[in-house]
Structures are given as structure tokens and as C-alpha cells.
Amino acid sequence: MIEIQDLRHTFAIGKKEHERKVPVLKGVTLDVQKGEIVAILGKSGSGKSTLLHILAGFMTPESGSVLVNKKETAKMKEEEKADFRLANFGFIFQNFQLMPGLTAFENVELPLKIKGETVKKRQAKVRGLLEKVGLQEVADHYPNELSGGQQQRVSIARALVTDPPILLADEPTGSLDSETEQDILMLIQSLNQSLGLTFVIITHDDEVANVAHRQYRLHDGELVKGEKRHAI
Amino acid sequence: MQFKDQMDFIKQHMKRNKLRVATTILAAMMGCAFLIILASVGFGMQKTVTDQVLDNQIVTEIEVAGREDGESITDKEVEAMNQLAHVKAVTDRTSPNAEAVAKIGDRSGFAATSTVDMEQEQKAGLKLAEGKIPASADEVIVGYHFAQNLLTEEEQKKADEGEEVSGGFAGSLIGQTFQLELTPYEGEKEAATWEFTVSGIKEEPGKDWITDNTLLIDDSWAPVFQEELALEESGRQVLVYADDLQNVSTITQTLKDDGYYVYSVTEELGSMNMFFTALKAGLIVVGTVAVLIASIGIFNTMTMAVTERTREIGVMKAIGAKPKLIQKLFLMESAAIGIIGTVLAILVSYGVSMLANWIVPKIIMTSLGEDGEGMGDVNILISVIPWQLVLISAVISIGVAMVSGWRPARKATQIDVIQALRQEL
Ligand SMILES: Nc1ncnc2c1ncn2[C@@H]1O[C@H](COP(=O)(O)OP(=O)(O)O)[C@@H](O)[C@H]1O
Ligand SMILES: [Mg+2]
């Protein structure tokens, strides 16, 4: 489903005269199968987000290739990338990234609007998903009227609404307390099991890694296969 | 994204910043209203002057004096002229090549006789002081001074000696039957006489030095006169009437191209129209400056909107919105500001225009005092807003709004997703 080959990326930091090259990814190779949950662990600043951003097509790597469903996003034009993301990816962010001016319902509806779906289709789909993540009661609430856990559920529902095969999550529980974190992890697990969705989860938190089928550790720009810890 | 959703999207955004959007719309409205009102003064002046000239009625008249190749104009050609665009009527008057004297009782007088197409004459704007357009071929229309011109032999003598003769035929000529005696200027035929009944009397000529003793007879009589009197070629006057002053030049040109000798009074008015066109263009340019100033407001508002929504735009792009869609949404927002501003401006402009047309002439009249009396019948229009002006202003105003929204919209499409997502909530 996802094939990452020898991915390398270097950031240039500082002003031109004092420019310093910081290699963040030094040849990352990773395969993700359909229906898998893969966790990528690593210390803050180890380049996890950079890896995800390249995978999502938000940035172009220096070298190496990323194939998603056999397609290389790096070679696409911006317009094509947008369509590709809409069709293939759902995003779950640490900060939820909800639209403050839209209700929970409207936030979940947004990708379908962008896609150009009819009102009728949208209504049914959004209602069903809000129920699935347990938010039917607060559908009309604005993000600032919801708790962190609820906001992340909205964001997960939004990620699922276009039925993408792959979900990319960057620190999905990074802003949540441990109890809420467990709820969200359970939700991810159940979505993976019931819908066969593929997850790539990026985290610095070992708890999160526990729900993964495979876990890797990004260290010094290289990906090391990690030991799966025993569940509690 | 469906159009309705796009509309909802910009509506929601505009509502979020009501005050800022409202003041920007206000500025756009003022700029556009200034443009319309300023230019409307040019249109008003032109209309006032043009109406004044048009009142003399003959400015839409184009005389077709003949053909360049020397051939005489045929009936078919006259018919073709009538088919030209913006031609209201074509009058085709033929004067028999004979001396025409009208006689009623012991009175007689010269009659400037023409055979005409009554319908065309009516279309061309023939106005009657009395009576009606002839219903049958035996009925005729006479000039305003026709009756006054019918003198007894005695009176005629006096007139010939240079004495002032007043009176002529007393009472109304309407319904009166008279004899028309035609004596050919050339040839062997004797004079012949026909009887006609007066159906209508033309209105008084605009200028008081004109004596109108016309006699208009239905053109079915033309061949009759021709045959009975064995007339030589008769004099023919073809006049083409345009529906509006502004179309006269086009028609004049067409007729020239078709090989006619043409004369229209409005050819001389060409320079006047050119002056007004230049004036109006100048006023529109000056007015556009106001629109441009307002556009700075739109540019600012949209730039701020893009900056404020950087994170949201980033999210939109991340979840699959194309840069084109983002650009479109922002362009639509600036266009919406332009459109709402323009619509309000049009309403305000009509209001101001009506008010100015009502108040300013009053002020002028008052300041002129007694001297203003002579101006009594002059209809002064300070401001006229034709639909063309509304259209031009709307295009300028909405166009400028979209152009000023262009850069902010471009900026929105270039927002980097990663940077945007990193922004604090
Ligand atoms: N746009 C950028 N320009 C320069 N350096 C960057 C940029 N983005 C990330 N970095 C650097 O790359 C490294 C990896 O960042 P990131 O991928 O966000 O790490 P993580 O998500 O693992 O915390 C960090 O040292 C960060 O400072
Ligand atoms: Mg990170």
C-alpha cells in the first residue's frame, strides 16, 4: 500500500552566510501493508513529522521515492496532489485542526463539500460517522465548546468521511490526557479492525505504539525496527 | 465544491468579520457611486443639448439628393432605404412639373403641391394642427398658411403692389372642397382641374418666418397627373428619417456607401457628439480614480482575511482542496464585496441623480430670477444615468474589486501546508 524507498532529506538552517545543513532523514525505507497499523516512534525533533509530511505530499524529499498505491506523489502537480489526498488519505493532527467557525457536523462535512458531494449524501454520511465516534449529541457544537477528546473524535470523523484507505496521524494523542488517550486509541483500533483501514501513526509516546502491529523508531535519521512491548 | 457551498463558504466568512467587510463595501459603494454620478453629469448635459436640438425635429432627417451615377432614384430603392436599420420612415415627395393653383369660391392661391405617401409622412412625424390624416385619396393635407394664402383677385392685386393683406380664407378649411388647377410648365397639354377635400391642416412651422402653403396629396395621384398633363420628369424629394439622432451618422454613411448624394444636418453635429464622448470618457476616467482608491480597501481587507485564515487554508489544502478552489473562494469574496458595493452604488446614484435633477434647476431658476423666464421651456437635466453608464461602472467597479482581490487570492494558494498547520490556534 505504501512503499518508501531510501528517503533522504536535509534542511538548511540559518541565514545564507551561516547556513548549516541538518540531515533529518538519511535513507528511510518502509513498507506498509493494507490493514496495518504502523507506529513510528522517536524523540522530538527526530524527523517523524518530516517523514509524514513527505508521505502526505506536503513537501518533496531531496531524494528517494514514496509510492502510495503505486503512485508517486512527488511527481504530481499541486492540483493532482490535492485530488490524490482527497481520495487516499485521512489526516488526524495533534492540534485537531478543526475550523473554529464550523460546528462539529460542518467540520466533518467539509471534505465532502470539497469533493462536491450532494447535500443528501453528505447528511447521511456525516450523521453515521458522528454516531460511530459517539458525538451525535454534540453535532451542533462549535470546536471551542468541545473537550479535547471530543475534538479529536470530530477530527477522526472528518478524516474518515471520504472513505480513504489510509489514515495518517501525527501525534494523535499528544494533546490529550491519558484517559482520553486510551479512548482514542481504542477507537483507532476498532476502526482498523471493523473497516480494515491502514494507519500510519507518528508518536513519541510508547502507549500509542501498543496498538500498532509494527513499530519503528526513527533515530539519527534512520528507521530501526522496534520491539513490540507487551500490552499492559 | 458545488457553487452553493462556495457561496455559503464566503457568506460565512464575510459574516465573521461583519464590520470590516461592511466598511469595505461602503468604500466600494462610495467609489462606484461617485463614478456613476460624475459621469451622469456628462450624459445629462449631452441629453439637455441634444433634446434642445432635437426639438427642431429635422435633425433626424437625411436628405437623399440623388444618385452619384446620375440615375434617378427608383421606388425600389426608396423601399430599400426604409428597410435599413434605425430608419423610422422614408418620405418620398413628388412635385408635379406644373403650376398649381388652389381655388375655393372667389379665392385662389398658389399651392406647393406634392404627392406623398401619407403613412410614411405620418411615421416621419407629420403633425396636424387641426383635422386628421386623410382616409381616402380625395382628401388632402394643407399647410398652416394655406388658408391665409387664398386671396380674392382684389386682394391679390394689393399684395402684388406690396400692400399688407390680412385675412385670406376665413374660418376652418377642414371639410372644405377646393379645385386644384395644374398648368404644365412645358408641353402642349392644357391645364386640368381636380377636386379635393381638406382633411387636415399641418401645425404651425417652428420658425415664424416660414410660410407653409404646402398641399399634400396621396401618391396614387402621381401617375394620374403625369398622364393627364403629359408632364416632364417631376421633382422628387426623398427624405430618410432616423429613429434617433445617434443613428443618423450610421444611416448617412450607409447611404453614401450605397452611392447616393446625402445630406444630413447631423453631420455637422458630429463634432458636438465627439465633444460629449470625450467629456463622458474623461468623467469616467476621473470617477474610476475613486473606484481605485476604494480598491485599496478591498486589497487590505482581503490580505488581512488571508493572513487571518492561514491555518484554515492550510487545513483545507491538507484535506484535499485544490489551490484553484482556494483562489476561487477568495476571488469570489472580493467580487462579492464589489458586487454588493456596486448594487448599492447604483441605487444611491439613481437617488442622488433624481434629487439633483429636481433641486438644481430650481436653484438656477431662482438665481436667474425674472431673467430666467426665457428659459421656462428649457428642460435642464443635470444628471442622466443610462443603462450603458450603469453597465460600464459595474464592469469597472467589479473588475477592479476582483483585480485587487487577485494578489491576496494568489497568496492564499501559495500558503505552505506545513507552515500553516504549525500555526498556533
Ligand atoms: N522547514 C524546516 N526548516 C528547517 N528545519 C526544519 C524544518 N522543519 C523541520 N526542521 C527540523 O527538522 C528536524 C525534524 O523535525 P520534525 O520532523 O518536526 O521532528 P519531529 O516531528 O520528530 O519532532 C528538527 O530538528 C526541526 O528543527
Ligand atoms: Mg512532529
Side-chain angles (χ1 to χ4, degrees):
Chain A
M1 184 131 254
I2 302 171
E3 298 158 63
I4 299 174
Q5 270 292 327
D6 197 27
L7 207 60
R8 288 165 196 274
H9 196 78
T10 306
F11 283 114
I13 296 176
K15 280 194 180 161
K16 272 229 169 97
E17 311 89 68
H18 317 286
E19 207 180 65
R20 200 159 52 84
K21 300 266 183 198
V22 180
V24 177
L25 302 176
K26 302 177 186 168
V28 170
T29 300
L30 172 70
D31 270 9
V32 180
Q33 305 301 317
K34 190 177 180 320
E36 248 189 329
I37 301 180
V38 170
I40 295 170
L41 285 138
K43 281 191 297 205
S44 181
S46 58
K48 308 183 295 293
S49 294
T50 304
L51 177 60
L52 194 84
H53 291 156
I54 292 171
L55 180 53
F58 296 158
M59 59 186 282
T60 312
E62 212 170 78
S63 70
S65 72
V66 177
L67 292 180
V68 178
N69 283 330
K70 309 266 184 252
K71 296 235 171 59
E72 191 161 9
T73 46
K75 292 203 175 130
M76 295 178 183
K77 293 203 187 88
E78 278 303 312
E79 307 281 321
E80 287 176 82
K81 275 188 196 169
D83 273 343
F84 189 79
R85 282 202 284 269
L86 194 58
N88 291 283
F89 296 130
F91 292 96
I92 302 164
F93 303 100
Q94 175 175 359
N95 297 327
F96 324 129
Q97 302 289 10
L98 300 175
M99 301 290 184
L102 301 181
T103 63
F105 187 97
E106 290 163 344
N107 263 291
V108 176
E109 193 184 19
L110 187 59
L112 293 178
K113 278 192 179 174
I114 290 173
K115 208 175 164 188
E117 291 286 10
T118 60
V119 178
K120 220 173 163 186
K121 268 194 186 165
R122 291 190 322 230
Q123 298 272 337
K125 184 81 193 173
V126 174
R127 224 172 269 136
L129 268 174
L130 284 175
E131 200 168 320
K132 192 172 258 165
V133 298
L135 287 179
Q136 63 272 42
E137 303 290 320
V138 293
D140 293 333
H141 291 216
Y142 287 93
N144 63 3
E145 298 164 348
L146 298 172
S147 73
Q150 285 174 320
Q151 288 187 53
Q152 194 58 301
R153 284 165 188 275
V154 174
S155 136
I156 290 172
R158 182 181 65 185
L160 295 172
V161 79
T162 49
D163 293 318
I166 303 163
L167 282 123
L168 303 179
D170 191 350
E171 311 271 11
T173 59
S175 305
L176 304 175
D177 60 61
S178 59
E179 207 172 313
T180 321
E181 173 176 5
Q182 282 307 320
D183 288 350
I184 295 295
L185 292 177
M186 300 271 278
L187 179 62
I188 288 176
Q189 211 162 21
S190 86
L191 287 170
N192 168 257
Q193 279 160 12
S194 61
L195 303 173
L197 296 173
T198 309
F199 280 85
V200 176
I201 304 173
I202 272 172
T203 182
H204 63 277
D205 182 351
D206 291 343
E207 285 294 323
V208 178
N210 280 338
V211 300
H213 300 114
R214 283 194 288 148
Q215 49 172 276
Y216 293 88
R217 198 165 282 278
L218 194 56
H219 183 72
D220 201 17
E222 282 170 34
L223 211 53
V224 186
K225 189 151 173 81
E227 292 297 309
K228 184 162 178 170
R229 287 201 323 176
H230 292 290
I232 329 138
Chain B
M1 214 176 197
Q2 293 185 350
F3 184 70
K4 195 193 161 292
D5 292 328
Q6 295 176 5
M7 293 297 285
D8 286 348
F9 192 91
I10 61 170
K11 226 188 276 170
Q12 188 224 339
H13 275 169
M14 288 169 81
K15 266 190 199 151
R16 252 207 275 171
N17 253 307
K18 273 198 202 105
L19 188 63
R20 194 169 72 199
V21 170
T23 48
T24 312
I25 289 175
L26 185 69
M29 185 267 272
M30 284 163 69
C32 183
F34 179 78
L35 164 62
I36 296 177
I37 293 165
L38 189 69
S40 79
V41 176
F43 282 91
M45 280 170 66
Q46 183 176 28
K47 186 152 169 50
T48 305
V49 173
T50 307
D51 280 358
Q52 211 54 34
V53 180
L54 270 173
D55 266 358
N56 293 341
Q57 198 208 329
I58 40 172
V59 283
T60 54
E61 187 179 284
I62 303 160
E63 188 179 343
V64 184
R67 290 189 56 95
E68 283 172 12
D69 56 14
E71 298 285 317
S72 52
I73 300 169
T74 66
D75 289 348
K76 238 186 199 159
E77 285 168 334
V78 170
E79 186 51 37
M81 290 175 201
N82 214 345
Q83 299 303 320
L84 293 176
H86 301 297
V87 168
K88 189 169 70 175
V90 180
T91 63
D92 177 11
R93 296 184 177 185
T94 305
S95 309
N97 201 10
E99 188 184 341
V101 175
K103 292 179 179 170
I104 183 161
D106 58 347
R107 291 175 178 276
S108 68
F110 169 70
T113 308
S114 302
T115 53
V116 303
D117 182 336
M118 288 296 176
E119 194 191 333
Q120 289 298 321
E121 291 289 336
Q122 211 179 343
K123 275 192 193 164
L126 176 74
K127 292 201 185 77
L128 299 181
E130 228 182 302
K132 54 181 174 46
I133 298 291
S136 75
D138 293 337
E139 292 183 324
V140 295
I141 292 173
V142 297
Y144 187 80
H145 300 105
F146 193 84
Q148 183 181 316
N149 219 35
L150 294 170
L151 304 173
T152 58
E153 265 175 59
E154 226 168 284
E155 285 170 335
Q156 187 63 50
K157 245 179 219 164
K158 276 189 189 171
D160 289 347
E161 282 159 15
E163 272 182 59
E164 186 88 4
V165 186
S166 66
F169 185 86
S172 173
L173 268 179
I174 299 288
Q176 298 286 344
T177 302
F178 66 93
Q179 287 86 42
L180 177 69
E181 187 187 68
L182 293 178
T183 317
Y185 290 130
E186 288 162 37
E188 287 112 52
K189 285 281 181 178
E190 296 285 300
T193 304
W194 287 270
E195 272 196 356
F196 293 101
T197 306
V198 177
S199 168
I201 297 171
K202 279 174 76 183
E203 69 173 355
E204 198 175 356
K207 311 274 189 298
D208 53 11
W209 41 265
I210 295 176
T211 306
D212 184 5
N213 51 6
T214 323
L215 171 59
L216 301 181
I217 305 174
D218 189 83
D219 57 8
S220 56
W221 284 92
V224 178
F225 295 156
Q226 184 91 21
E227 208 162 297
E228 295 269 325
L229 303 171
L231 294 176
E232 297 286 307
E233 179 87 14
S234 307
R236 188 169 196 179
Q237 187 195 32
V238 177
L239 297 174
V240 175
Y241 290 86
D243 57 359
D244 194 90
L245 179 59
Q246 67 185 28
N247 297 322
V248 171
S249 63
T250 325
I251 297 169
T252 304
Q253 196 52 49
T254 310
L255 290 171
K256 273 184 183 169
D257 292 346
D258 288 350
Y260 297 104
Y261 285 122
V262 182
Y263 177 76
S264 64
V265 187
T266 46
E267 275 189 275
E268 284 163 28
L269 292 178
S271 58
M272 184 187 96
N273 278 338
M274 215 146 84
F275 165 75
F276 277 112
T277 305
L279 176 71
K280 289 186 291 188
L283 292 175
I284 287 173
V285 168
V286 173
T288 303
V289 173
V291 175
L292 289 175
I293 293 170
S295 79
I296 297 172
I298 298 177
F299 178 83
N300 273 336
T301 296
M302 294 313 296
T303 306
M304 279 168 83
V306 171
T307 309
E308 273 176 7
R309 290 179 222 151
T310 297
R311 191 185 63 82
E312 291 179 48
I313 295 163
V315 176
M316 293 273 290
K317 286 177 85 171
I319 62 178
K322 292 182 190 173
K324 255 188 208 138
L325 174 63
I326 310 266
Q327 183 176 12
K328 191 174 174 199
L329 289 172
F330 279 94
L331 276 180
M332 277 172 73
E333 193 168 330
S334 49
I337 290 173
I339 290 168
I340 297 170
T342 302
V343 169
L344 293 176
I346 292 167
L347 296 177
V348 167
S349 301
Y350 272 109
V352 171
S353 172
M354 268 153 66
L355 208 66
N357 286 336
W358 182 62
I359 289 177
V360 178
K362 278 191 181 185
I363 296 171
I364 293 175
M365 289 305 157
T366 315
S367 66
L368 285 175
E370 300 300 311
D371 302 340
E373 263 174 29
M375 303 268 291
D377 56 343
V378 178
N379 190 16
I380 301 172
L381 282 171
I382 296 304
S383 155
V384 169
I385 307 178
W387 65 266
Q388 291 95 331
L389 176 57
V390 171
L391 188 73
I392 291 170
S393 309
V395 167
I396 290 176
S397 184
I398 296 167
V400 166
M402 289 187 71
V403 168
S404 42
W406 181 262
R407 267 193 68 83
R410 285 290 305 169
K411 199 179 146 202
T413 64
Q414 283 155 3
I415 282 172
D416 179 55
V417 177
I418 302 169
Q419 299 283 351
L421 293 181
R422 215 175 265 156
Q423 275 201 354
E424 288 301 312
L425 293 186

